[in-house]
Amino acid sequence: MRAADIPNDLTSVLVTEEQINEKLAELALRVEEDYSGKKLLLVGVLKGAVMVMADFARHLTRDIAMDWMAVSSYGSSTKSSGVVQIRKDLDTDLGGWHVLIVEDIIDSGLTLSWLLDNFASRGAESIEVLALLRKPEAAKVEIDCKYLGFDIPNEFVIGYGLDYAERYRNLRDVAILAPHVYA
């Protein structure tokens, strides 16, 4: 689904599918250089990072491992509660791995901060963050994001894995959801 298919549900498109693919290819080149000769594990944060993780991994030309963690701090709300719940833990022991957390968006940073602390206690060789999107004005904690796609305004966005109440994840672009949809 493209933004043109649901114009009444959107305020504006922030990032197109084409811009996303170009940025993920650029980030993949940096990651390959930085992790040359290292045992790399991509950890996707479900459900939002599915699209980012899949497309980013396809841009890599080296062997990597992948695992998934499901955490929630939103529920069906448009704002983070700040309380992190583990819905699915990793299947991989992080000992000996260089971990790259792949995120769709850094909003308040609270969930990601919790993940970084949690992973640090599991024996990884290193832990870095790749995020497609970041909302600098929404940050409640500072997150060191080594690989960043785009800074966006502090609006409620959907698409490319981001949802509102489990809808709109299949939108190929990232767009601002019109307030009348969730008001």
Side-chain angles (χ1 to χ4, degrees):
M1 172 172 63
R2 293 303 298 253
D5 298 322
I6 56 167
N8 294 333
D9 291 0
L10 308 175
T11 301
S12 63
V13 173
L14 297 176
V15 189
T16 66
E17 177 183 29
E18 295 77 16
Q19 291 170 311
I20 292 167
N21 281 323
E22 185 177 302
K23 182 59 76 172
L24 290 178
E26 174 190 313
L27 293 173
L29 289 174
R30 287 182 48 208
V31 166
E32 285 184 345
E33 184 177 307
D34 291 350
Y35 289 92
S36 178
K38 296 178 180 174
K39 191 173 158 185
L40 180 60
L41 173 67
L42 303 182
V43 174
V45 182
L46 294 171
K47 298 177 187 173
V50 168
M51 308 299 189
V52 178
M53 179 93 139
D55 288 346
F56 173 73
R58 283 192 288 259
H59 282 290
L60 295 171
T61 60
R62 57 159 293 170
D63 182 41
I64 50 98
M66 297 168 76
D67 202 347
W68 298 92
M69 187 161 193
V71 295
S72 177
S73 65
Y74 281 81
S76 62
S77 174
T78 60
K79 293 197 184 333
S80 174
S81 68
V83 177
V84 178
Q85 298 174 324
I86 296 177
R87 303 285 172 100
K88 182 219 173 286
D89 206 346
L90 298 173
D91 296 322
T92 307
D93 177 350
L94 298 185
W97 288 97
H98 292 272
V99 176
L100 181 59
I101 299 172
V102 178
E103 270 279 26
D104 51 354
I105 191 166
I106 300 173
D107 199 325
S108 70
L110 294 171
T111 301
L112 191 51
S113 176
W114 183 90
L115 274 177
L116 288 164
D117 289 345
N118 182 282
F119 287 5
S121 69
R122 297 188 190 201
E125 292 291 318
S126 67
I127 306 166
E128 296 291 350
V129 176
L130 179 148
L132 178 64
L133 306 167
R134 177 177 62 186
K135 294 181 183 177
E137 293 125 27
K140 293 187 175 165
V141 295
E142 188 173 329
I143 298 292
D144 180 21
C145 182
K146 187 169 184 177
Y147 308 98
L148 176 64
F150 305 93
D151 278 331
I152 62 170
N154 191 16
E155 299 284 345
F156 191 78
V157 294
I158 55 166
Y160 208 76
L162 295 158
D163 74 303
Y164 168 65
E166 297 302 326
R167 297 175 55 210
Y168 304 106
R169 288 190 195 276
N170 63 321
L171 177 62
R172 293 174 174 265
D173 313 294
V174 173
I176 298 173
L177 185 62
H180 73 83
V181 176
Y182 59 88

